[in-house]
Amino acid sequence: MSQAFKFCPCCATPLAMITQLEDGGYKERPRCPACGYTHWNNPTPVLAAVIEYQGKVLLAQNAAWPGKMFALITGFMEAGETPEGGVAREIQEETNLATDALKLIGVYDFQRMNQIIIAYHAVCRGEVRLSPELVAYKLFEPESVKCWPAGTGYALADWLKSRGHAPQFVEFPKRDP
């Protein structure tokens, strides 16, 4: 059950895992035994940008991340905006850059975070000024950037392939079970 939903938002009764017949057959979901509310736990759309800036790929480091990992600019889509409008807004909010061109790279699942990533290639201009959410950025030559084996890393790899580069992936240390 989702950690965010332990109680019914309608009547405050604790949710329970209840199996019920739905369009696709029987499905177990967090449901309210008192009022019948169902928590669908649908994936959240997340926008991501492979930013091309001054002919290089801009990657940023989030203030909340441990270590020195640099990644794509990402953010949540807001109600009432298109994915294109949302990714341009996120780029501007997080880097101060204006977006001149956008092209969809693809859509990627990120099940560990229950997200669907909608990734774009963005050609940007301006002067980089990071939001407080970010602590640093680096510019990489496309052929030297390394991808990571997770949602946005696969988007970066697909973009690199579309540019004729063979993506290289970093290897993360294995965790003990």
Side-chain angles (χ1 to χ4, degrees):
M1 185 175 344
S2 170
Q3 293 296 323
F5 282 84
K6 293 183 178 181
F7 297 93
C8 176
C10 300
C11 71
T13 301
L15 296 177
M17 294 303 290
I18 298 173
T19 301
Q20 191 171 311
L21 181 62
E22 297 177 358
D23 289 341
Y26 286 92
K27 187 79 175 187
E28 184 181 54
R29 298 186 191 276
R31 301 178 199 272
C32 179
C35 74
Y37 167 84
T38 298
H39 174 56
W40 297 98
N41 199 28
N42 293 330
T44 302
V46 173
L47 305 167
V50 174
I51 296 176
E52 186 177 347
Y53 176 66
Q54 299 177 347
K56 297 182 180 179
V57 176
L58 183 148
L59 299 180
Q61 182 184 13
N62 191 297
W65 294 343
K68 296 187 182 199
M69 188 174 120
F70 287 79
L72 304 184
I73 297 298
T74 60
F76 294 106
M77 198 166 132
E78 294 184 3
E81 70 184 357
T82 64
E84 293 85 359
V87 77
R89 173 188 52 76
E90 284 291 340
I91 291 167
Q92 195 284 320
E93 286 176 0
E94 294 186 19
T95 67
N96 190 52
L97 296 176
T99 301
D100 289 334
L102 280 174
K103 183 177 181 193
L104 180 68
I105 298 169
V107 178
Y108 304 83
D109 70 330
F110 190 32
Q111 292 183 15
R112 184 171 59 83
M113 297 295 289
N114 194 27
Q115 297 173 342
I116 296 293
I117 298 167
I118 306 167
Y120 288 88
H121 167 228
V123 178
C124 297
R125 64 178 160 74
E127 181 184 336
V128 177
R129 283 197 307 271
L130 299 178
S131 75
E133 178 177 331
L134 303 174
V135 293
Y137 76 94
K138 288 185 180 178
L139 298 176
F140 295 86
E141 294 293 340
E143 61 275 8
S144 69
V145 71
K146 298 224 181 201
C147 304
W148 43 95
T152 57
Y154 297 126
L156 179 56
D158 285 347
W159 179 77
L160 288 168
K161 286 183 221 171
S162 77
R163 294 300 179 102
H165 302 290
Q168 299 175 46
F169 283 85
V170 296
E171 290 188 34
F172 291 123
K174 301 247 187 234
R175 293 182 182 172
D176 293 328

